[in-house]
Amino acid sequence: MTISKMISKTAMAIALTAGVGLAGMAHAQQGAAPMQQAKAALKITAAQEGAWNSFLNTYNQDFRPSATPTPKQFNAMNTTQRIAFLKQRMSEESAFMNRRYDANLALYNTLDSDQKKVFDDMTAQPEPQQQRKAPAKKK
């Protein structure tokens, strides 16, 4: 696998599975090149351009919670308030990620079967490498 394919595959996988709070891949300084590589690899057609742009726009949005208390403010909350705050934050993060997943599906649904195979390959998670077991010590 070439370096550019590895970067593109890794970047797309990160985009699809990015932890909440990370900037969208296309928004990051180095994100534009991998996204352009992905677009080229997918051979996005003029008819698919709208879905592609919608996909990019979704990934350009950063997660912005409705409230970001300082550690002092958080510590001033009682347990009930902290749990309510954390539940609200989790709900917001979930909605944020669901918008990204939906953008992936909307783009995917516009792709032809060859493009879907490329997309599937680009977004597959690498399998963990097997660790070599050290030989048993002789007694």
Side-chain angles (χ1 to χ4, degrees), residues 32-49:
M35 290 304 269
Q36 289 305 315
Q37 290 173 356
K39 182 179 181 182
L42 288 167
K43 299 177 183 168
I44 297 296
T45 66
Q48 296 165 328
E49 197 71 30

Side-chain angles (χ1 to χ4, degrees), residues 19-64:
V20 174
L22 297 177
M25 196 171 76
H27 184 68
Q29 287 182 359
Q30 299 174 355
M35 290 304 269
Q36 289 305 315
Q37 290 173 356
K39 182 179 181 182
L42 288 167
K43 299 177 183 168
I44 297 296
T45 66
Q48 296 165 328
E49 197 71 30
W52 176 259
N53 289 333
S54 179
F55 171 79
L56 285 182
N57 288 337
T58 300
Y59 276 90
N60 275 330
Q61 298 172 15
D62 295 337
F63 174 66
R64 301 217 189 270

